[in-house]
């Protein structure tokens, strides 16, 4: 929750070689993933301290 672009979200999926990064976003970006269910959000909403 600290640093440039915080908070940051990384989403992983299980691939043939283990877990693989499928999506990532930092505050101000929009994260969109469809598995296991569709979701779209800006990671900034995770930080209740932000104005």
């Amino acid at each position: 929750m600290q640093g440039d672009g915080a908070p940051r979200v990384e989403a992983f999926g299980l691939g043939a070689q283990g877990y693989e990064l499928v999506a990532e976003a930092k505050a101000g970006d929009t994260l969109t993933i469809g598995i296991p269910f569709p979701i779209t959000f800006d990671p900034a909403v995770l930080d209740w301290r932000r104005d």
Side-chain angles (χ1 to χ4, degrees):
M1 298 299 273
Q2 297 178 354
D4 187 40
R8 176 186 161 99
V9 173
E10 295 179 340
F12 291 83
L14 187 56
Q17 301 297 318
Y19 285 100
E20 302 170 346
L21 182 65
V22 295
E24 60 185 316
K26 65 182 187 311
D29 293 341
T30 300
L31 176 76
T32 300
I33 55 177
I35 299 172
F37 50 84
I39 186 169
T40 299
F41 70 97
D42 178 345
V45 302
L46 300 175
D47 188 354
W48 55 270
R49 300 170 297 173
R50 293 173 88 75
D51 292 328

